[in-house]
Amino acid sequence: MTIARLVGGVRAIAAAALVVVAAVAGEAGAQPAPGRPAPELAAGKWINSTPLSIEGLRGRVVAVEFWTFG
């Protein structure tokens, strides 16, 4: 397998993944409303942190990783 074919395959997989993610996000209504502030973070049990608020995160770059068990 040549490097060009490998790169092409990886690009095709990445493009397909983006299409799937966009379709799922569109169905769930997960798109943010342009020009509106982010909604407040959901209440619940926080692990490895005290509860955070949107106001407390203002001006910071935030990466959010969602987990589910079940």
Side-chain angles (χ1 to χ4, degrees):
M1 179 175 267
T2 67
I3 296 295
R5 286 184 67 192
L6 180 61
V7 169
V10 169
R11 285 183 181 163
I13 291 170
L18 286 174
V19 169
V20 170
V21 167
V24 169
E27 290 174 5
Q31 295 297 316
R36 297 191 60 201
E40 197 56 50
L41 301 173
K45 183 177 180 183
W46 287 70
I47 301 173
N48 295 331
S49 171
T50 58
L52 301 172
S53 68
I54 294 295
E55 187 60 37
L57 297 171
R58 184 176 300 280
R60 296 180 180 195
V61 175
V62 178
V64 180
E65 183 174 0
F66 294 92
W67 285 63
T68 183
F69 299 95

